[in-house]
Every structure is written in C-alpha cells, then in structure tokens.
Amino acid sequence: MESVLKTVQRYLYIGSDVPFVLDPPQPLNVEVGKKVLEPLVKPKESSEPSKATKAIPNTSETKAQKKVNPKKKNPTGKQESEKVEKKAEENKSKTPKDAATPSGKASESGVPSKPLHPVLALIKTTYKSKSLRRTDECLFALAYCARNFATPEEQHSVYETVWELIRTSNDLMVFVSYYIQLATQSGHAGFGHGLRCAITRWYDRFTPIELAELLVRSNAHAGWTHKDLIAKVHPKLKCPDKQSLIDAATKRTSQLQQKKAPEKKGKKKKQQKENGTAPPMAAPGKEVVQVNSSKAFKRYQTLLQFKSVSNAGKALELIKLHGAKGRLELLPKHLRRSAKIWEALYPSLTYRELLHAALPLQDFRLLKEGEPNAKAFADSLTKRFDALEAEHIHPIEVQTVAKLYEAGKRYTARVKETMHTMNQTDICPPVKAVLEGLQSAFEHSFNNQPKTGVRYYIALDLRCVHSRKKVFRNEVINCFQASVLLAFSIFKREKSVTVVAFTDDEEILTPVAFEPTMSWEQAIGHCTGLMLPKTKVSLAAPIKQAEAQKLKVDVFITITDSLIRVNPTRRPPVAELTEYRKKAKLTLCRSVYNCVELVGSTGVFYEIKLTISSFYYNFRYLAISLSRHEPSLDFAPDKDTVGILEMAGHSANNAKLIDAFAKNLFV
C-alpha cells in the first residue's frame, strides 16, 4: 500500500510513474494518470469478506430480507418491505447533505466526520506545495477521483475539496476540462449536481471586489471561459453584488457600456413592490438607465475600460486616474509598442514582469542607447532589488533573460527562434545600461533563495567540449555554464555544500574551491581553470569519496551532459547508496504513513495519514543530463526507486524540483 502511495505522490509532482523529469515538461499523460491512480481510487473487491465486514453486518438489508421472506405468510409483509425500501432511499438521499461537514471537524451531533480518502489527502498536500512545478497532475487526479470514487460520500468530499482548494481561474478551467474528458469517456453527460454546486461555491468564496478582478482578468484557458462555466452552472449567489457580477460576465461589452447592472425584469419589479417605490418615469423619447452604484461593479467597469481602451492617450488617462498596479495584463497587446505606456507602468510592475519585459521591448525597438525609456528601464532594474528578493527569482531565470537580450533573441528553443526571426526586422543592439542592470540583478539573485537545510555533495563534469555543447532546447546557455551555475547557486545559499569535479581518473575527484564571497565571474573563472580535455565519470565515485572522507551527506548531485555516455550500463547507484548509509550510520528518516483499516462498499481500503517529518530521507541521489532528453537509468520492476531521480534539461523549474526532492516531498 505504501509503495502505491509513493507512486501517486511521484506522479503528482513530476507527471510520471518512473523517476525521470524532463524540462520543458511534457503534456499530461492521461493513460499514465489512470494507471497510477486506479489501484487506490478503484480498489478491486476482495474475494473473501474481511473480519471487519463480518463484525458489522448491514442491518437494514438483513431486516428487509427477513420481512420479505416468501416462506413466511405475512399479509403485511409487502407493505412493511415497501416502508423499509422507502426509508433506505430517504437515508441515501440525505447522505450527501450530511457529508457536507468539512473533513476533520465534528458534525452538529458531535460525531467527527469521516476522514478524507488517502489519495484526496495527498492531492491537497501536494497542491498546496510552493515547490510544485505545475498543477496539471493534481487537477487531473482530483477530476479522476470525482468520476471514479465508489460511494456518494467520497464523491461529495471531492466536490468539497474543489471549491476550497482550487485558487485560480485557470486551475478551475483545467479541472473542468479533465472532468468533462473523463465524463465523455465513461458515457456520462458531465455537469452533474455535485459539480454545479462546487463551482457555485467556488464563485461565492470570493469577495465582490475579488470576483470583479477575477472575472475581468481571466481569459480563455483549456477550452473554457467564465462565460461558458456560468452558462452551464447558472450559479445563484445570495449576495446581490456578486450576482450582478456573475450576470454581467455573460453580457457583451457593448451592453455594459451604459454601466447598467444586468437584472432580470421580474426580479426588478419584485424589488420595487417590496420597497414601495414606483418605477422612474422616462422623458419622452428617452430611456431611463439604472446605474449600479456598488464598489465591486464600479471596479468591474473600470477594469473593462482598461481592457477595451483603443489608444495610448486614453490608456495614460486611465492609468493617471486609477493607477497602474496590475494593469499590464489588461491592456491590449498593441499598446505595448508605446514607450510612454511602459514608462508609466515600470514603478508598479512585479520584478518578474519587469525582467521579462526586456525581450518584447527589444523586439519593439523601444530600448535604444540614449533614449529616456531605456534609462528608465535600466534604473527600474537596479533600484528594485527588494522586489527581486521578495519574489525569490532564481538566478537561472535571470541569466536566461540576460543571455537572450545580449544575443538579440526572444526564445531559447531553436525552432521558435527561427520562426520569430523570419518575421522580425532588424533589432536594436543591446543598451549598455540595461546589460549592466541585468547583470546586477543576476548577481543579487544568488542571495535571496530560501534555504533547505540539506547537506549536498555535487560532482561536476568539467570537460572542455562542454563549453561548446548547448543545453537541451536552450541555444543561449552551454553545458559548462549550466552545471557551474546550478552548483554555485546551491553553494551560495546553503551552509553545508561540497563541490568536486571529475578527472581523467575514475577514482579521483578534485575539489572545486568556491568561496562565499565569490562573484559569478570569479566562480566561472575558477571552474575554467579546472577544465580537462577528457574526464571519466562514475556515478558511484562521489558516494565512495564521501564515505572515505566520512562526510555526512543528504543529497548527492551529479551533473553531466549525457548520463548514457558516462554510464552505458544504465545502472543506478542504489547498492552504493545503501552501503553508504550503513557505514555512515545515518538515520533513515522519511515521511510517516499511519495506516488505519476502514471498510467501504467496495471492500477494505486504508486511510493513510501523511505526516511529513522534520528530517529528510538521508540518502538521495540526483543525476542530471543537460543535453539528453530520454531516460538513461534502468530500474528493476521489483526494486524500490525511492531516493533516486534522473533529470534532463536546465531551467528554474528544475531548480524548484531539486529543492522539493532534497526535502523528500516526493520520490
């Protein structure tokens, strides 16, 4: 049972049933998801009844069987059996309402409600993790549970989780798309009572102001829009301000230009009768316009004005009147070619938006040497390092943008950049002040990463050819720069990090003497001096050297261009890790799974309470291929793969997964 749960946890984090991560991530594999989730979501019925099922017989069924016994001559037996069946149906219809109590809390009668299903509890824990690379797998698992749980109580617990857990509009639409896909495959219509109630409660969880922001800012995603969802669900909210916004979301922009709240005719007349007010009289030839004066509806109208503004002059007036914070994504795309618009937006952009703005600004030829816009952009980059620290932007992300801007490119992938260049005119050369600002941001980003408290042992493959070999789907960064950057960023933030380099002798590893006060240029210069024409890489060598030096290590990381080149046998270092743990006398601390046997309608299943320990699984191995995009390690089907992970590619997303792997959040 525990191994199955581990597989589900790994799937939720990396979208695969094997310990292999590829960047950029591949689209969600529905068949793999079904294969991983089915053993826990749809358990097979046990052939023999368990002790628990024998001890707790179904009294309602036995009574019904006794009273409907044809051998006994009971004239009232038919009537009594009908009463029993009617009572059972009433109880069944009441079950979802009774199950509406939040999990883990006591009901009105004082009896605690049934705990969450183990898969559902794991989805909640994983979805809330900040180190999650993407949420697609969690949302698919949530939809799969809603469609395939055996009992109405379990399905209702999923719908309770949906409106409480899902945060953004895009995630809601992705969940609905997976739900409809699974419903279509099973031959059902799709939008049932449970899903409609969950979506209604999701809209109702926001305040009127938040709902106004959400409805305007959200665009179509995964084939759905809010207008589509509202048309399917027909949500009825008690708050009139919220309901007016829901109704407004289904109207066209031209219908809302009069600032008229969309109301039903019958509801409008009913309110006038209750208030005792007569409808206002219209002047001859003119129509009376009812204006909604609520703050939420005014915010909705204001945001719509940003979204439909036609020229830069009107946009600047709106920015001056209502402010510029959060307005970049609302403005039409053609206004991003205006330098004055950008100058008004710079102080209110997040640092990530500011950083990535360098590439479109270069495309639109708005960054030219000596112009005010270029100076304002460079000043914003250097004067807002507090925002850079608060957002924890990884050095890999900053370096990628800086390299693209310096090379005059827009995309890291070759195919995308080729298509972009075909439709692009001459690009302005990079501005010196902007390059210096990006470089300063890159150096500063090493000091704002959250610590994991894990002890690392990192082995680099510093071959001379790596300075010419590009990273997989990244034409601006080579393997040498990528490996040094990953090791140096971990070294700068953690207390216990040992960095070594492979040599031409398989058994000898040379130390890489990073210093905490080093800059990036000094670190790359130091590693350049250690480069060799040929190296011999062994995945087991770092473990053996740490064992010989009696170092206590939590995570081993080996970085090379291609694991299959240095390890043609495809053998993972599982045996060496086990031997190292025994000799180093490291305590095996891992996530604790408390199993409690429960009885369900489909047989016996297990409730598993996941408790993340404050200590980590003390021997873990991460092997990184920078240029290869296929798995290079083979695992026996009956062997436990916990503690081993293979990763391909180089990005800030992979850096997040490395931290999650080090903290034993998956695999």
Side-chain angles (χ1 to χ4, degrees):
M1 184 68 177
E2 187 179 348
S3 62
V4 178
L5 199 65
K6 283 186 217 167
T7 307
V8 172
Q9 192 178 28
R10 175 168 55 206
Y11 172 76
L12 294 179
Y13 263 94
I14 64 178
S16 173
D17 56 342
V18 295
F20 175 73
V21 177
L22 177 64
D23 188 84
Q26 302 301 298
L28 181 134
N29 193 325
V30 173
E31 297 306 319
V32 171
K34 291 179 181 178
K35 174 182 152 186
V36 169
L37 295 167
E38 187 175 4
L40 283 175
V41 176
K42 299 198 304 185
K44 295 181 181 178
E45 296 185 11
S46 54
S47 55
E48 297 181 2
S50 62
K51 294 180 182 179
T53 52
K54 290 180 181 178
I56 310 174
N58 194 335
T59 53
S60 62
E61 290 182 3
T62 52
K63 285 180 181 178
Q65 288 174 0
K66 287 179 181 178
K67 293 185 182 290
V68 191
N69 192 347
K71 293 183 180 180
K72 292 186 179 181
K73 295 181 179 180
N74 187 358
T76 60
K78 187 175 181 182
Q79 297 176 359
E80 291 178 358
S81 63
E82 289 177 355
K83 288 180 182 179
V84 170
E85 290 176 359
K86 189 176 181 181
K87 192 173 182 181
E89 288 178 1
E90 289 177 358
N91 291 336
K92 193 179 280 186
S93 63
K94 288 180 182 179
T95 323
K97 294 180 181 179
D98 297 338
T101 349
S103 60
K105 296 182 180 178
S107 59
E108 293 179 0
S109 59
V111 181
S113 59
K114 189 176 179 181
L116 285 177
H117 191 281
V119 175
L120 199 55
L122 192 58
I123 293 170
K124 290 184 72 172
T125 306
T126 307
Y127 183 89
K128 291 178 180 178
S129 173
K130 293 182 180 179
S131 59
L132 194 64
R133 180 173 56 163
R134 64 176 186 176
T135 58
D136 292 43
E137 285 74 21
C138 289
L139 297 171
F140 173 78
L142 205 60
Y144 187 83
C145 291
R147 295 301 310 167
N148 293 284
F149 271 155
T151 62
E153 293 88 352
E154 291 173 343
Q155 292 176 358
H156 185 78
S157 66
V158 177
Y159 296 129
E160 285 287 326
T161 305
V162 165
W163 74 268
E164 289 179 351
L165 190 65
I166 293 179
R167 297 186 294 262
T168 64
S169 297
N170 288 353
D171 283 0
L172 177 66
M173 293 170 191
V174 170
F175 166 77
V176 170
S177 68
Y178 290 141
Y179 186 92
I180 296 299
Q181 182 180 352
L182 292 169
T184 306
Q185 292 174 359
S186 61
H188 296 282
F191 273 78
H193 177 73
L195 182 61
R196 292 199 302 271
C197 289
I199 294 176
T200 301
R201 294 182 74 180
W202 187 85
Y203 282 117
D204 201 25
R205 67 177 287 192
F206 299 100
T207 64
I209 296 293
E210 291 173 344
L211 188 60
E213 296 269 353
L214 180 142
L215 291 174
V216 177
R217 292 181 183 279
S218 178
N219 296 318
H221 190 73
W224 289 87
T225 63
H226 281 296
K227 187 175 182 179
D228 299 331
L229 290 177
I230 292 168
K232 283 280 188 182
V233 175
H234 301 291
K236 303 297 179 186
L237 308 182
K238 293 181 180 179
C239 176
D241 290 344
K242 293 181 185 179
Q243 189 61 49
S244 67
L245 292 170
I246 291 292
D247 295 337
T250 61
K251 304 296 181 183
R252 294 179 181 175
T253 307
S254 58
Q255 294 174 308
L256 296 169
Q257 285 179 350
Q258 297 178 348
K259 298 187 178 181
K260 183 178 178 181
E263 295 182 8
K264 293 184 179 179
K265 295 180 180 179
K267 185 177 179 182
K268 184 177 175 182
K269 290 180 181 179
K270 186 179 178 182
Q271 288 178 352
Q272 291 171 354
K273 286 181 180 179
E274 290 176 355
N275 298 333
T277 57
M281 299 297 294
K286 293 185 179 181
E287 183 182 355
V288 175
V289 177
Q290 297 292 332
V291 179
N292 189 323
S293 60
S294 69
K295 291 182 180 179
F297 198 78
K298 286 180 179 178
R299 174 70 65 87
Y300 184 80
Q301 291 287 345
T302 300
L303 296 177
L304 279 182
Q305 290 178 14
F306 276 95
K307 216 168 184 181
S308 58
V309 67
S310 57
N311 56 60
K314 291 183 179 179
L316 289 171
E317 289 178 7
L318 288 174
I319 290 174
K320 187 176 180 179
L321 183 62
H322 301 288
K325 188 175 182 180
R327 308 306 191 210
L328 174 63
E329 60 182 10
L330 291 177
L331 292 174
K333 300 286 179 153
H334 70 273
L335 294 181
R336 299 190 181 187
R337 295 178 177 271
S338 170
K340 292 182 179 180
I341 293 288
W342 281 107
E343 289 178 24
L345 291 174
Y346 287 150
S348 59
L349 294 179
T350 66
Y351 202 89
R352 181 170 274 107
E353 290 174 339
L354 186 67
L355 179 68
H356 289 275
L359 305 180
L361 285 171
Q362 188 181 38
D363 273 357
F364 301 150
R365 296 180 293 282
L366 297 179
L367 295 179
K368 294 181 180 179
E369 199 72 53
E371 289 194 353
N373 184 52
K375 186 178 183 303
F377 180 70
D379 290 343
S380 299
L381 285 173
T382 54
K383 291 179 180 178
R384 297 190 56 202
F385 286 156
D386 54 339
L388 174 65
E389 295 174 3
E391 296 175 40
H392 300 300
I393 301 176
H394 199 274
I396 294 177
E397 187 173 354
V398 184
Q399 188 198 42
T400 303
V401 174
K403 289 285 184 182
L404 286 170
Y405 177 75
E406 186 178 8
K409 295 183 178 181
R410 184 70 180 270
Y411 302 102
T412 57
R414 180 186 301 174
V415 176
K416 278 189 174 183
E417 182 57 31
T418 302
M419 298 300 295
H420 174 70
T421 307
M422 290 172 60
N423 302 317
Q424 185 70 20
T425 57
D426 296 335
I427 297 178
C428 298
V431 179
K432 184 180 178 182
V434 174
L435 282 175
E436 290 175 353
L438 291 172
Q439 185 61 33
S440 299
F442 176 57
E443 291 286 354
H444 198 82
S445 62
F446 285 102
N447 305 319
N448 58 27
Q449 300 304 307
K451 295 178 174 61
T452 61
V454 177
R455 295 166 292 192
Y456 291 87
Y457 196 98
I458 306 174
L460 305 178
D461 184 15
L462 302 179
R463 296 174 70 217
C464 293
V465 71
H466 286 178
S467 61
R468 302 188 300 273
K469 197 169 186 179
K470 300 298 182 183
V471 173
F472 174 62
R473 289 187 180 173
N474 193 326
E475 291 296 309
V476 295
I477 299 175
N478 57 52
C479 292
F480 171 68
Q481 293 169 338
S483 59
V484 175
L485 176 57
L486 187 57
F488 189 60
S489 63
I490 295 174
F491 176 84
K492 289 280 280 187
R493 76 168 190 231
E494 303 291 347
K495 287 184 178 180
S496 179
V497 181
T498 303
V499 185
V500 296
F502 293 103
T503 63
D504 53 1
D505 188 341
E506 188 174 309
E507 302 297 328
I508 298 177
L509 302 177
T510 183
V512 178
F514 286 145
E515 294 291 338
T517 56
M518 272 186 175
S519 65
W520 165 248
E521 293 297 333
Q522 292 171 335
I524 203 78
H526 175 69
C527 291
T528 303
L530 298 175
M531 296 183 76
L532 297 173
K534 290 184 180 180
T535 57
K536 290 186 179 179
V537 177
S538 169
L539 299 184
I543 303 174
K544 292 178 180 177
Q545 178 151 321
E547 181 183 326
Q549 297 175 353
K550 296 183 179 180
L551 293 175
K552 290 191 176 182
V553 178
D554 299 321
V555 181
F556 292 93
I557 302 178
T558 297
I559 309 174
T560 185
D561 62 330
S562 173
L563 287 176
I564 197 66
R565 178 185 65 80
V566 302
N567 186 32
T569 61
R570 294 178 178 264
R571 189 180 70 86
V574 177
E576 288 81 1
L577 275 176
T578 307
E579 187 67 21
Y580 170 74
R581 178 181 63 83
K582 291 178 181 178
K583 291 187 177 180
K585 297 181 181 179
L586 293 175
T587 305
L588 181 61
C589 298
R590 58 197 302 181
S591 300
V592 181
Y593 299 91
N594 298 322
C595 298
V596 181
E597 185 175 338
L598 299 173
V599 180
S601 61
T602 57
V604 178
F605 64 91
Y606 295 88
E607 176 211 347
I608 299 177
K609 296 179 181 178
L610 178 64
T611 306
I612 302 296
S613 174
S614 58
F615 299 96
Y616 304 128
Y617 199 42
N618 277 358
F619 57 107
R620 309 180 71 73
Y621 197 102
L622 174 64
I624 300 179
S625 290
L626 294 173
S627 62
R628 181 174 168 80
H629 60 281
E630 293 179 356
S632 303
L633 300 179
D634 288 340
F635 297 93
D638 57 337
K639 294 291 184 181
D640 190 2
T641 60
V642 171
I644 301 286
L645 179 65
E646 182 184 354
M647 186 176 286
H650 173 76
S651 74
N653 287 330
N654 276 6
K656 288 175 64 176
L657 277 182
I658 291 172
D659 294 346
F661 176 72
K663 291 189 287 188
N664 192 27
L665 297 183
F666 70 100
V667 186

